Amino acid sequence: MGSAPRIAIDAMGGDIGPAVMIAGAAEAYQRRSDLHFILFGDEERIRSEHAKYPQLASACDIVHCPDVITAEDRPSQAIRRAKTTSMGNAIAAVKAGEADAAVSGGNTGALMAMAKLSLRTMPGIDRPALAALLPTLGQNDLVMLDLGANTESDARNLVQFAVMGAAYSRVVLDIDKPRVKLLNIGTEELKGTDELKAAAAVLREAEYLVMRFDGFVEGDKLSHGDVDVVVTDGFSGNIALKTIEGTARFVTDLLRRAFTSSVRSKIGFLISRPATELLRHHLDPNNHNGAVFLGLNGLVVKSHGSANDKGVANAIRVAARMVREDLTRKIIEDLDNIAAHRAQAAAK
Amino acid sequence: MGSAPRIAIDAMGGDIGPAVMIAGAAEAYQRRSDLHFILFGDEERIRSEHAKYPQLASACDIVHCPDVITAEDRPSQAIRRAKTTSMGNAIAAVKAGEADAAVSGGNTGALMAMAKLSLRTMPGIDRPALAALLPTLGQNDLVMLDLGANTESDARNLVQFAVMGAAYSRVVLDIDKPRVKLLNIGTEELKGTDELKAAAAVLREAEYLVMRFDGFVEGDKLSHGDVDVVVTDGFSGNIALKTIEGTARFVTDLLRRAFTSSVRSKIGFLISRPATELLRHHLDPNNHNGAVFLGLNGLVVKSHGSANDKGVANAIRVAARMVREDLTRKIIEDLDNIAAHRAQAAAK
């Protein structure tokens, strides 16, 4: 790898479709012109959007797909229509080696099901996981996984999530040895489920992994900036992620109500606008857009359905970064390391 | 019941101890002077605080206890020292019928373990749950449970939590027929764990319960104000609760940073201060203080360790309200209803 990343884009996915997906591609290309795109979807609609960005002319191939996966499609229905849809063809391009990564803003469940079925799970990984970046008060974002690819996870899954999350944070956050914690309802060793305790016991011993395992973290400490990777089962992870989104919106809604509650507060708001814009920027989900399916034989990035140009550009940049840094190889190396140490320990 | 609530107060619990617990009692008493308090703890320290509130003179009994449960005590250690500690004696007063409810700001795990061992679980309830109120954008707060009394919960537990939470919301929020939802990672019937699906199936059928069961709710919709009771297993509930606390603090920290980042923004902040004070008031955990152990043969309220006078007064008011409205009887009636309908169904 190391060459120009070729990104397969499901141009039809998301709330807006081609307009925002192609605008996002143009924005990402403006920053790094070594990108190449393959745009999947309705050719006519794609061409009319594509024509707006002359700079993209030579950077794109267009592949017509007659069908689209909707938000209402069940994963099982989506799978049956993989061959005719923009989403299915974007994933198939990764599988065929024609693209290095796929980006879609479409139905998450369908994307996950299609990606799993087509790309298959990496050797050494039992279940793929969904990972995303969350803002913190510290210098770096944090990586959290699993965010809902699995409803239940055992200790073995959690250890694999830790390995994949650590590799991912090394790539996207540029951290040599990420600090990894397990999400739990207390920090004492006795707290939590048997799965968590067993996973912690394995990670505590595994000094040969490229991470620093730091024990447990509670839900109220996620944003403190003292952890780089938070590992959790998919159920709790999804609850935590959505609760973060909901609470951030709740507080900013209250703030908006407060600032519009009187003429005086409106004036104060206008004066301090640059400050609140900063806050808005920090909390804007577009700046953290791009959730990643880890553990498959191929890279797939889920862009938020409501992401704007900037958000899509971010998701594309995440995909390109994983390609350039060869994330898949890094995960395989770590898994080989675990296997080698297990074999060594067994031989003793 | 209906008579003057007698509240047993662990005067030593919490970060501050007698000063804040007794100030909180005085504040609660100012609003409703039919309260009677039994203050447990170091007699000398209690007397010196108690002397500051002449209005409390005839409203309190003081019971000296030589020992205190600390934040570091394990539940097992705490149980062994129940008889000499302020926390243990406050619970014992409820058991003996000398008090109608106990309030403590001490070690949650110890309080739960002691309360369970001393008061025992109600007939018809397999496991007690911890419930609290959360702010919403709607007119009412919502009740969420379990928040960590149990690490794992099966379908039967979840149904019992729903019954207890609905009864509690009728009492504290004054709602005739609360809207109840199960916390899940999606709203479709197929989503989530087997336990959740089984609990939903039971609740959907149980029209004889005093609640409207509305299916599933996701973590990002908790504050929308369209649900009164959110039921969850103790692990996810604790994660969600702490994530809400942490995210609210994260956003307000960002806001503080933004407002102090320049002279201009500081001026804007000062002008709009009444508005941000409103926000602060809405998010102040003291306004929602008082988590309740439901499902025991006796009422126990956990006040937050860092609660101020107002917070403690709130916890006491929650306790007094449960006594006046006879929460325990309401839960028993609902459980009897379930049992009767099951017997009827079985006889058919």
Side-chain angles (χ1 to χ4, degrees), chain A residues 247-292:
Chain A
T247 308
R249 213 175 311 125
F250 170 65
V251 177
T252 46
D253 276 2
L254 285 179
L255 194 66
R256 189 173 308 119
R257 281 191 194 183
F259 275 130
T260 52
S261 61
S262 72
V263 174
R264 177 174 163 174
S265 59
K266 275 184 204 161
I267 293 171
F269 174 73
L270 286 175
I271 294 173
S272 49
R273 187 135 202 186
T276 51
E277 282 299 314
L278 253 172
L279 176 74
R280 218 223 302 241
H281 174 80
H282 207 106
L283 292 178
D284 183 353
N286 285 299
N287 294 322
H288 296 89
N289 190 36
V292 179

Side-chain angles (χ1 to χ4, degrees), chain A residues 45 135 154 171 204 247 252 290 297:
Chain A
R45 288 183 63 195
D154 64 16
V171 164
R204 223 172 264 125
T247 308
T252 46
N297 296 306

Side-chain angles (χ1 to χ4, degrees), chain A residues 218 220 242 244 258 264 271 275, chain B residues 218 220 242 258 264 271 275:
Chain A
E218 295 182 75
D220 55 343
K242 287 188 182 149
I244 289 171
R264 177 174 163 174
I271 294 173
Chain B
E218 295 182 76
D220 55 342
K242 287 187 182 150
R264 177 175 163 174
I271 291 173

Side-chain angles (χ1 to χ4, degrees), chain B residues 35-62:
Chain B
L35 297 172
H36 185 81
F37 301 108
I38 317 176
L39 307 170
F40 294 87
D42 183 274
E43 186 165 359
E44 204 172 320
R45 288 182 63 195
I46 291 178
R47 289 219 178 275
S48 88
E49 292 299 330
H50 184 250
K52 295 179 188 165
Y53 306 95
Q55 72 273 28
L56 281 184
S58 63
C60 292
D61 291 319
I62 296 170

